[in-house]
Amino acid sequence: MAGDEWSSMGCGDSNDEWSCVQLLGQDAADTAFRTHWQTWITADDLKEIQSYGLNTVRIPVGFWINEDLVNDGEYYPRGGLEYLDYIVGNCTELGLYVIMDLHGGPGSQFPGQQYTGHVVDSPGFYTGDNYERAYKFLEWMTERAHTNPAYFSVGMLQVINEPVHSGDYPSEAADMVANYYPNAWTRIRDREAQLGTADSDKHHIQYMGEAWGSGNPSQNLPDTTFAFYDDHRYYKWDTSVSATQDGYISAACNDNRGGSDIIIGEWSISVADDAQYNGEFDIRDTDANNDWYKKFFAAQAQAFERSGGWVFWSWKCNWIAGFNEWRWCYKSAVDAGIIPKDAASAAGMSPC
């Protein structure tokens, strides 16, 4: 989603942060990532987000942003905390609510995925030692958010992004639901108790919802006060949806993702790989389908607002597959006239 940026950093064909650090060496990689962080998302981006009527930013971070948790022999870029502080501080100044998402867990929580920071064949997250590192990350972030004024807008902590599915890794998923999930809750709440945090100021704690397929996230939680659930709804990969304009609109209009404790934390206006360049959906060198994409955006936004709201994936990317692929990029889709500059006006655009 940012291939040109990745190449400009010198990461070449590296598949993740880990392999880029190995390729460049630690010091050179740190310099390359520092330049990226300084320029990719800035205060101007956040002001633009606010100007479009958006009120929430989900920030995906790797556990390695707390460098004390990185083991010898692990390869992650260093120095990111300074820029996280900068982004969060600007969110606080602008009144943007922040979901702090543990996007890359120790040992990698899902195989073959770049979002973990280290692409692996077998997920290594599901061990006592790596759970402990994740708990320490959550405790550290909890304290930082409650004691650093720049973090005032951080209201929600997501304990892990996109873990394994029960159907593929039944023992790992079951262990996570039985052990990691309730212990993560307890470690956050215990740290808040140590800090003397008022009940009304406690963090919202977020888990992947049951629709993700890892089991019932709440079944072993000691409490569900301020518990929220993340739902990643990509029609693109739902083979039960007819890959036609009418099929996608019908699916979105009739979708019910659940109650107000469910946030659709990732979605896009992309369509199935085998349909995205056909006459109904192509966006390369043509605006013939633009009006349909406006409707598709509005239908999804309306559906997801019947639940707890939404966060689009992603705010910014550069050219994908050699063209301006705005179906994944909120900022680019606004610039293309697909997504309205006032997010609230989507309701009036919905075909439902």
Side-chain angles (χ1 to χ4, degrees):
M1 298 188 75
D4 292 345
E5 177 76 5
W6 189 249
S7 295
S8 74
M9 292 165 61
C11 293
D13 294 330
S14 300
N15 202 29
D16 50 29
E17 283 94 331
W18 181 291
S19 55
C20 181
V21 172
Q22 286 185 309
L23 174 69
L24 298 179
Q26 188 70 62
D27 291 343
D30 293 346
T31 298
F33 276 90
R34 185 178 305 115
T35 300
H36 166 69
W37 291 324
Q38 286 174 335
T39 57
W40 184 249
I41 300 292
T42 68
D44 287 341
D45 285 284
L46 297 170
K47 290 173 184 175
E48 191 172 5
I49 286 170
Q50 183 199 47
S51 76
Y52 292 158
L54 302 171
N55 59 16
T56 300
V57 175
R58 178 176 181 251
I59 303 179
V61 296
F63 81 94
W64 58 88
I65 203 162
N66 180 340
E67 293 166 16
D68 293 337
L69 299 175
V70 177
N71 291 336
D72 291 341
E74 293 184 326
Y75 300 92
Y76 296 107
R78 300 176 304 193
L81 183 58
E82 173 186 349
Y83 302 100
L84 180 63
D85 289 349
Y86 164 79
I87 291 297
V88 171
N90 277 276
C91 286
T92 292
E93 289 182 12
L94 294 167
L96 294 169
Y97 184 86
V98 173
I99 300 170
M100 192 67 71
D101 155 37
L102 178 52
H103 210 72
S108 298
Q109 71 271 26
F110 201 101
Q113 287 291 346
Q114 294 173 336
Y115 67 73
T116 63
H118 182 206
V119 176
V120 295
D121 293 329
S122 179
F125 174 66
Y126 306 92
T127 68
D129 287 345
N130 282 330
Y131 285 173
E132 182 62 29
R133 286 202 284 173
Y135 300 147
K136 288 179 178 177
F137 170 88
L138 294 170
E139 290 174 326
W140 170 78
M141 186 58 70
T142 296
E143 182 160 347
R144 195 171 191 85
H146 282 304
T147 60
N148 186 330
Y151 282 64
F152 179 81
S153 284
V154 177
M156 185 175 295
L157 301 181
Q158 183 167 9
V159 302
I160 195 70
N161 172 71
E162 293 192 353
V164 292
H165 302 298
S166 299
D168 299 320
Y169 293 89
S171 61
E172 288 86 351
D175 185 73
M176 176 185 67
V177 171
N179 294 295
Y180 177 67
Y181 276 2
N183 289 331
W185 180 282
T186 298
R187 296 283 283 263
I188 292 170
R189 291 292 184 244
D190 284 354
R191 182 53 56 93
E192 288 177 323
Q194 294 168 9
L195 295 169
T197 305
D199 287 347
S200 60
D201 293 332
K202 289 180 178 177
H203 282 128
H204 298 163
I205 304 176
Q206 189 181 48
Y207 299 83
M208 292 302 300
E210 196 160 4
W212 175 250
S214 298
N216 178 357
S218 62
Q219 71 181 53
N220 295 302
L221 297 184
D223 185 19
T224 56
T225 304
F226 289 163
F228 282 78
Y229 306 95
D230 190 11
D231 182 15
H232 295 176
R233 184 58 169 132
Y234 291 113
Y235 296 98
K236 177 183 182 73
W237 290 306
D238 186 344
T239 56
S240 72
V241 176
S242 173
T244 63
Q245 289 189 356
D246 289 344
Y248 282 119
I249 293 297
S250 177
C253 288
N254 292 292
D255 214 347
N256 179 3
R257 306 311 297 171
S260 60
D261 57 350
I262 294 177
I263 297 169
I264 292 73
E266 293 187 20
W267 62 287
S268 77
I269 52 175
S270 190
V271 298
D273 288 348
D274 60 1
Q276 61 185 343
Y277 301 132
N278 70 22
E280 281 193 284
F281 299 114
D282 201 2
I283 65 170
R284 300 169 302 175
D285 301 318
T286 178
D287 59 6
N289 298 315
N290 284 16
D291 285 345
W292 180 82
Y293 279 104
K294 294 176 186 179
K295 294 175 183 177
F296 189 38
F297 170 82
Q300 291 187 78
Q302 186 180 50
F304 302 155
E305 287 169 13
R306 291 196 293 266
S307 297
W310 52 265
V311 182
F312 193 89
W313 185 277
S314 180
W315 164 248
K316 182 180 179 182
C317 45
N318 59 17
W319 285 27
I320 302 169
F323 69 99
N324 183 20
E325 175 56 288
W326 41 252
R327 289 175 288 200
W328 286 102
C329 318
Y330 198 100
K331 175 180 169 62
S332 299
V334 172
D335 292 342
I338 306 301
I339 295 177
K341 289 189 174 182
D342 176 12
S345 68
M349 299 164 49
S350 174
C352 303

